[in-house]
Amino acid sequence: MWSAKRSLPLLGGPNPISLQVTRSKWWKKIIHNVYPTLQERLKELDYKQKDPELYAPVNIGLPQRRPQRREQLESRLNILKEVRKNKSLEREAWKGNLKLDLDKVEADWMNGAGPHQLRVLAQHYGIFEHLFGNAYFVPRVFLNISYDYEDDTVSIVYRGNTIKPKEAASTPNVQFHSDPDSLWTLILTNPDGNLLDNDHECLHWFVGNIVGGDISSGEVVCDYLQPFPPRGTGYHRMVFVLYKQHQHIDFSKYRRDQPCLSLKERSFSTLEMYQEQQDFMTPAGIAWYQADWDPSLTDFFHNTLKMREPVYEYDFPEPYLAKQKYFPLKRQFNTYMDLHRDPKQIKKEILLERLKKLHPFGPEQPPLPFPAAEPIHRDLSSWESRDLKRKRIGAGKYYGLFRGSNRPV
């Protein structure tokens, strides 16, 4: 016997809760099975709800230096007054000849909403979560990073753009505004590229004790290594993080032998490093790009890293198929049977049928001018007639019967 149980209040009660109700009919009675919604179920599985204060995000970046609200309003009002007095700007705008200084626009963006938009974008890419756990920071220092590729080509690092490994083979050029006496640390890591340990990153570059924004004056803790995403692993995030040092730091613990070509020695954890040095440095800037496999990495794995090139393939799960029925209703016979056959065997049959029509030394036969209008013999069954139409126009599984310009229109 089915029994109806209701342990949660329905809509309209004292504590209304949106429920997902499924109905199953038994004789003349309707039995309700009440289940929590997806939102309620995800809330139960969220371990952060047990102690929100413990998992609350923490800002570990530099403090924001805001000008007074009164000064901001006065500067904006003065700009509006000057623009309204200038009639030539209005005339040029109406004519479509008004030009803006893009450098000034970018500078205003950096001093305004730019840092907060970068923080949101970095959170979207999951960078803070994978590098700093529950912590984040607002990038107050903007990084200008570029790679010299060939003679006249430069690949610029923005925020998530794609750069091929062959373009990033050389050490990048990094520039940022800084006081002449300040100290900085620049680290380049790949949170997706550690082939030996999934819980750690791959360290690609580490320069510490940089004086006044001059990268050449810094101490190279770990030399630069180009990105090497293996084939089949998709895009890898290459993240530059700039730290502002409060004093001179001894990085002998993190120093690697140069050139460092051991992937085991390049295993790195940004979170562990920052937990040890958080009293002496503060993250201030960030930039990243994405890199995927290209043919140049074959030579890099063999001749530089002295290892076999790893190749990964994704094992797709088998599609779900309901149990085969003896008499499926409203299903065409042959298409229903093809669902329970090996797709490779079907492609093999289509290929053999195509090869029968091809002459080894002659041109391919032209397609029918009106394949869908060709007559069909009346003795054929309904499913045979539909299958013949698909075969003539190259639809469904018969798509491989025709190639290029020989495909029916």
Side-chain angles (χ1 to χ4, degrees):
M1 290 289 293
W2 288 80
S3 61
K5 294 184 179 180
R6 196 188 308 277
S7 59
L8 297 175
L10 292 177
L11 294 175
N15 297 321
I17 301 177
S18 60
L19 301 176
Q20 180 183 0
V21 180
T22 61
R23 293 188 175 188
S24 57
K25 190 174 181 180
W26 179 75
W27 287 83
K28 296 183 180 180
K29 298 180 181 180
I30 297 178
I31 302 173
H32 295 264
N33 296 324
V34 182
Y35 299 98
T37 61
L38 177 61
Q39 183 178 4
E40 295 172 348
R41 183 57 180 158
L42 292 176
K43 189 175 180 180
E44 292 178 1
L45 297 176
D46 190 5
Y47 62 92
K48 297 180 181 179
Q49 297 292 333
K50 298 179 181 179
D51 193 351
E53 296 183 358
L54 179 62
Y55 298 101
V58 180
N59 187 0
I60 59 175
L62 296 174
Q64 183 179 7
R65 298 178 181 178
R66 283 187 176 183
Q68 294 183 1
R69 182 66 176 172
R70 182 177 179 180
E71 296 179 358
Q72 292 181 350
L73 292 176
E74 289 181 355
S75 62
R76 292 176 182 176
L77 290 176
N78 293 333
I79 293 174
L80 286 176
K81 290 179 181 179
E82 294 178 0
V83 170
R84 289 172 181 173
K85 291 179 181 179
N86 194 345
K87 299 299 181 182
S88 62
L89 290 177
E90 184 177 0
R91 288 194 299 268
E92 294 295 327
W94 277 104
K95 295 178 182 179
N97 299 328
L98 185 62
K99 297 182 179 179
L100 299 177
D101 187 0
L102 296 182
D103 294 336
K104 185 177 181 181
V105 173
E106 184 178 5
D108 293 340
W109 175 75
M110 291 180 179
N111 296 327
H116 297 278
Q117 292 178 1
L118 286 183
R119 176 186 63 83
V120 174
L121 191 59
Q123 286 180 340
H124 172 73
Y125 277 85
I127 293 176
F128 293 142
E129 178 183 359
H130 295 158
L131 295 187
F132 299 98
N134 296 326
Y136 72 95
F137 67 92
V138 180
R140 304 295 178 186
V141 181
F142 287 81
L143 297 173
N144 297 321
I145 306 174
S146 62
Y147 286 94
D148 293 334
Y149 178 60
E150 295 181 348
D151 296 334
D152 302 330
T153 307
V154 176
S155 300
I156 303 177
V157 178
Y158 293 105
R159 294 102 194 170
N161 59 313
T162 302
I163 297 179
K164 289 293 184 179
K166 62 181 179 181
E167 303 175 23
S170 59
T171 306
N173 303 316
V174 182
Q175 297 177 355
F176 56 92
H177 295 287
S178 169
D179 296 333
D181 298 332
S182 58
L183 296 175
W184 304 85
T185 296
L186 181 65
I187 299 178
L188 170 61
T189 61
N190 180 0
D192 309 315
N194 196 320
L195 303 179
L196 305 177
D197 187 359
N198 292 331
D199 297 332
H200 286 74
E201 310 146 35
C202 181
L203 179 63
H204 285 261
W205 199 25
F206 194 144
V207 184
N209 297 318
I210 302 171
V211 181
D214 184 9
I215 301 296
S216 60
S217 65
E219 173 189 355
V220 180
V221 181
C222 184
D223 59 331
Y224 177 77
L225 185 68
Q226 73 167 79
F228 51 92
R231 182 188 299 185
T233 56
Y235 289 93
H236 288 210
R237 297 165 295 174
M238 305 295 298
V239 186
F240 294 86
V241 180
L242 180 68
Y243 301 86
K244 185 175 183 180
Q245 299 179 201
H246 309 308
Q247 63 183 32
H248 190 278
I249 301 177
D250 182 14
F251 291 110
S252 58
K253 178 181 178 180
Y254 310 100
R255 185 174 290 108
R256 271 74 167 174
D257 295 334
Q258 300 182 19
C260 181
L261 300 178
S262 173
L263 299 184
K264 183 177 181 180
E265 295 181 3
R266 285 189 176 267
S267 185
F268 185 76
S269 174
T270 299
L271 180 60
E272 294 177 1
M273 187 278 301
Y274 180 72
Q275 288 176 346
E276 296 175 357
Q277 306 293 337
Q278 60 181 339
D279 296 334
F280 313 110
M281 60 168 54
T282 303
I286 191 171
W288 67 95
Y289 66 93
Q290 301 182 85
D292 61 337
W293 182 88
D294 67 4
S296 66
L297 290 181
T298 302
D299 179 73
F300 177 79
F301 277 107
H302 292 171
N303 299 326
T304 303
L305 296 181
K306 306 296 181 181
M307 60 179 292
R308 296 178 59 184
E309 181 183 9
V311 179
Y312 296 87
E313 293 183 358
Y314 182 76
D315 294 332
F316 290 91
E318 296 183 0
Y320 170 76
L321 290 176
K323 292 183 178 180
Q324 190 172 354
K325 300 180 181 179
Y326 286 102
F327 301 101
L329 298 178
K330 298 181 181 181
R331 299 297 298 271
Q332 189 171 323
F333 170 75
N334 58 332
T335 56
Y336 181 78
M337 296 299 296
D338 287 342
L339 292 176
H340 299 272
R341 296 178 59 196
D342 187 4
K344 294 183 179 179
Q345 180 64 25
I346 298 176
K347 292 181 180 180
K348 179 180 178 180
E349 294 175 359
I350 300 301
L351 179 60
L352 293 177
E353 190 168 352
R354 170 177 167 77
L355 294 177
K356 290 180 182 179
K357 299 180 180 180
L358 297 179
H359 193 277
F361 305 105
E364 189 173 355
Q365 297 180 1
L368 298 174
F370 303 101
E374 292 291 326
I376 299 177
H377 200 279
R378 296 183 178 181
D379 293 341
L380 296 178
S381 61
S382 60
W383 68 269
E384 290 176 325
S385 301
R386 286 192 291 266
D387 189 66
L388 183 58
K389 288 181 181 179
R390 293 192 182 97
K391 184 177 180 181
R392 288 174 176 175
I393 64 177
K397 67 177 183 179
Y398 297 108
Y399 185 83
L401 280 178
F402 306 95
R403 300 287 176 85
S405 60
N406 199 51
R407 184 172 299 281
V409 179

